[in-house]
Each structure stands twice: as C-alpha cells, then as structure tokens.
Amino acid sequence: MKTKLILALTGYLLTLGVSAQVVSYSLLEAQDFAVENSYNVKSATLEIEKSKKVLLENIAIGLPQINTSGNWTNNLDRQVFVLDQGAGPVAIQVGTKYTGNAVIAGEQLIFDGSYIVAILAADVLKENSINAQEKSQIDIREQVAKSYHLVLVSEKTLEIINDNLVYVEKNFEESKRMFEVGFMEEQDVNQLELIVSNLKNNRNYAEKQISIAKMLLKFHMGLDVDSEMELSDDVETLMLFSQEGGMLLTESFELENHIDYRTILTQEKGQDLNLKNEKVSLLPKLKFNYLYQHSFFSEEQGVFTTGQDVGSQYIAVNLSLPIFTGGKRMARIQQAKIEVDQLAISKMQLTDNLKVQFETAKAEYDYALNSYFTQLRNVEISKKIRDVAARKLAEGLGSSLDYTQTENQYQDALSNAINSANNVLDKKVQLEKILGKYNTVK
C-alpha cells in the first residue's frame, strides 16, 4: 500500500514537472507565435470574417425578399355611419366584431445600379481587411523583434555588470588588505567601495529591466505576461546575422512590396466605386412585387375558423427614376470626384514618403553597423587603459581617482557597445520591414 502511494505521488510530481516546463523561443519562433496569437492580429482576422458577412449581406439585397404578417382585431366600438334617406338621419353600424388578416408579400430587385456597386464594394472591403491583417502581422513582427532584442540586451547588460563586479570586488578586497598593511590610503579604498556600490545598484536595476522587457515581449506575443519563457537566441548570434546582412544595403526599394502602398491602391478602388455609385444613382430602379392578402370577418372570437373570409392578390412592377433633385445628386458626384483627386494626391505623398523612409532606414542601418564596430574598438581600448590603471593602483604607482575615471570610462564603453548592438538590430528590422521582408503576401 505504501509503495503504491509513493508511486502515485512520484507520478503526480513528474506531471507537475512536465506541466511547469518553460518554453524556449528563438526570434523567428516568437514572431511566428505572435502572428497567430497577438491581440491586434486576432482582431484584424475577425475583420476579414466580418467583411465576408458584409458581402453576403449585399448579395442578399438582390435575392427575393419574402415577408408575411397577420393580425387579429376585436372591434370594441364598430364604426358608425350616419345616413339620411329622407326620413331623418339614421345611424348604421358596419363591420363585424372580430376581423383577421393574413398577408404574404414578395419583392424581387430587377435592376439597381447601386446593387452592382455594392457587390464590388464588398470585395474591396474584404481586400482592405486582408491588408489590415497583413499590416498587423508586419507590425507585430517588428514589435516582437525589438522587444526580443531588448530582453537580450538587458540580459547581456546584466552579464557585463556581473563580470565587471567580480573584477572590481577583487580589486576592492586587495585594496583593503593593502590598506591594512599601510600600502594604500583609505581614500583609495573608499573610491573602490563606491564603484562596487554603484555596480550593485546597476545590477538590481538591470534585473528589473529584464523582467519588464520580458513582460513586454510576452504582451506582444499574446502570451500571459505572468507565464514563464526563455529565449534561445543570443545577442552574439543575432549580431553575426546583422553584420552578414550588409547585403540589405544593396537591395532596391519596390513600392508594391510595402503594405501601406498596397493599402492605398485598395483605397483607390473604393473611391472609384464610390464615384460610380453616385453616378448610377441617376439611373432608374426596377422592382417586381407580389402580394396576397386573406381577410376574415366574424361575430365570434374564432374569426379564422368561423364567419366569412375573402382573399385578394396582385403583382406589380415598380419603376422609379429621379428627374429633379435640386442639384443634390450632381453635387454628390462632384464631391466623389474631389475625393478621388484627394486620394491621388495622398498616393503621391505616400510614394515620396516611403522613398524617404527607405533611404533613411538604409543610412541609419549603415551608420549603426559602423558605429557598432567603433564601439567594440572603444571597449578594447578602454579595457586596456582600465587594466593599466588597476595595476598601477595595486603597485602604489597610481591614484584611486585615476582608476575610478578609467573604470567609469570602461563601463561607459561597455554600455555604448551593448546599446549600439541593440541599435544595429533594431535598424536592421526597420530596413527589413520597409523592404517587405515581413510581408505575408509575396
């Protein structure tokens, strides 16, 4: 019995271990996950489904429309007519106490120019929803990439601080021993203690930054912000790809690859249809109607089963044609033409703006790469200077002020290098985005 209990408990603990397993994501995996699960993309996907229903709604306008209605009436005070047949006015009560009515009516649209435009407009609405979904997917890939970079940079910053803290604490402990035997002044020891204290504060802040950066990444991915996750890529790997990605600088920019340009092309279709809709409003509208009505009359409540009933029906063709509207329709047509011209101007503006964005993104990426290599060189130089100052301090040939200055210079160089790496990664994302590398429609 005890053995079974132990086995059951072991199995339960193993199950907990499996369920608590932390999922690890590469940058690409995080982006793919976000495309399927982020809040904005889900909302945009629903807009596509909504546009499909709008198309069905517009199609239904051209299909037969059949309605039915019925009523039961208790004439509490029946209508009275007063007649004068020569012998004086006589009040005559007409009708029955109870009446009933059943009607079935049908209507079929034969011709309406706006109906044709509405069908075409529904297709444009769907295309616009697809563009919106793709834009959401492109934006979320960019947001996830930058958030992913931020987590890696924050973790790398913490790693650098910890390594530097080990080095400084070692020097601090040595300086205390030298002070105890009279080979170093107390001021020099205090200077090192201040550096250690500042590094510990920076470490605490970096740990909090990692937590916040991960929450932001999970938010963009559509994950529970309180869930656990790990990143399988590192800064060095991504930077290697970025340095090898210099070929991006040689690629040409194609307007049609940018989602904003394709979106405005769809908007052009919509404005053209709006103009056509205003024009076809001048055309006649033709409908076919049918109605059947059955009426019931009785002095009893069961009017539908007692008394008398009569039926009637008719068919009709309705033609309506606007002749004079005081210039209202022509004014609406002119407004639609102006909106088409306005969109053409917006298209030219967007074209120039996208070209400027491309040249800017390319220049910033090129500068970021060069700046990164410069910062790496600065780290090497500042480390050499720091190490020399530390050796001089240990040998009693230098001051703590000199060492503090070189240590701060080294820390600044490290910080600039890691920030420069983050800048390279983000600028690469911006250039890839404008070149259409994140497009879902190729």
Side-chain angles (χ1 to χ4, degrees), residues 160-439:
I160 291 173
I161 291 174
N162 285 331
D163 291 343
N164 206 24
L165 186 58
V166 171
Y167 179 86
V168 175
E169 283 182 331
K170 179 182 177 181
N171 288 337
F172 176 54
E173 294 300 327
E174 291 178 356
S175 67
K176 286 196 297 184
R177 288 192 293 269
M178 292 178 67
F179 170 71
E180 291 172 357
V181 296
F183 287 105
M184 185 172 290
E185 296 182 3
E186 183 177 7
Q187 178 183 350
D188 295 331
V189 178
N190 291 338
Q191 285 286 350
L192 289 174
E193 186 176 4
L194 284 176
I195 296 175
V196 171
S197 179
N198 288 334
L199 283 174
K200 288 182 177 179
N201 286 335
N202 291 341
R203 180 179 62 185
N204 293 335
Y205 179 73
E207 289 172 347
K208 291 181 173 63
Q209 285 298 103
I210 292 173
S211 177
I212 295 172
K214 281 190 174 182
M215 289 184 69
L216 181 62
L217 174 58
K218 286 181 281 190
F219 172 77
H220 287 316
M221 290 175 60
L223 282 170
D224 183 353
V225 294
D226 294 323
S227 63
E228 295 294 329
M229 69 172 298
E230 296 293 340
L231 309 186
S232 58
D233 286 335
D234 52 44
V235 173
E236 290 78 11
T237 302
L238 295 182
M239 282 304 302
L240 180 61
F241 289 141
S242 294
Q243 294 172 51
E244 294 176 349
M247 63 182 63
L248 283 174
L249 298 171
T250 64
E251 293 194 24
S252 58
F253 176 61
E254 299 292 339
L255 277 171
E256 292 75 11
N257 286 340
H258 201 283
I259 183 60
D260 289 347
Y261 186 78
R262 283 185 278 124
T263 297
I264 206 167
L265 292 180
T266 303
Q267 291 174 352
E268 273 189 327
K269 296 178 185 178
Q271 286 297 345
D272 288 340
L273 287 175
N274 182 50
L275 177 58
K276 289 179 181 178
N277 187 55
E278 296 299 337
K279 289 180 177 179
V280 299
S281 66
L282 301 174
L283 300 177
K285 298 178 182 180
L286 189 61
K287 293 182 180 180
F288 171 80
N289 294 91
Y290 170 78
L291 183 140
Y292 176 80
Q293 177 176 283
H294 207 92
S295 301
F296 301 85
F297 308 90
S298 177
E299 293 296 327
E300 300 178 8
Q301 290 186 2
V303 64
F304 296 108
T305 57
T306 62
Q308 188 174 358
D309 61 283
V310 294
S312 63
Q313 60 181 328
Y314 72 81
I315 60 173
V317 176
N318 297 327
L319 177 66
S320 63
L321 176 65
I323 296 177
F324 179 72
T325 60
K328 175 183 176 181
R329 294 190 181 277
M330 292 305 300
R332 289 179 64 90
I333 291 175
Q334 293 302 319
Q335 290 179 45
K337 287 182 178 179
I338 291 173
E339 289 172 353
V340 169
D341 293 339
Q342 287 177 323
L343 189 60
I345 294 173
S346 297
K347 180 181 175 182
M348 290 187 291
Q349 182 183 18
L350 176 65
T351 298
D352 289 341
N353 186 31
L354 290 177
K355 290 178 180 178
V356 171
Q357 286 185 31
F358 168 67
E359 293 299 333
T360 302
K362 187 166 67 170
E364 289 181 348
Y365 179 50
D366 186 36
Y367 173 78
L369 279 173
N370 293 329
S371 178
Y372 173 70
F373 294 129
T374 300
Q375 296 301 330
L376 288 181
R377 179 59 180 162
N378 290 344
V379 169
E380 294 178 4
I381 296 173
S382 61
K383 185 176 183 302
K384 290 179 181 179
I385 296 173
R386 191 276 308 264
D387 292 345
V388 170
R391 187 167 60 253
K392 287 183 177 180
L393 179 64
E395 294 172 353
L397 301 176
S399 68
S400 60
L401 184 61
D402 291 337
Y403 174 76
T404 301
Q405 185 177 7
T406 58
E407 177 62 37
N408 290 335
Q409 188 178 37
Y410 176 60
Q411 291 182 31
D412 288 341
L414 288 172
S415 178
N416 291 337
I418 195 64
N419 289 333
S420 181
N422 185 46
N423 191 44
V424 169
L425 295 174
D426 286 351
K427 296 304 181 184
K428 179 173 180 283
V429 168
Q430 289 181 355
L431 183 56
E432 288 175 334
K433 178 183 177 183
I434 200 168
L435 285 172
K437 301 298 183 181
Y438 293 160
N439 292 357

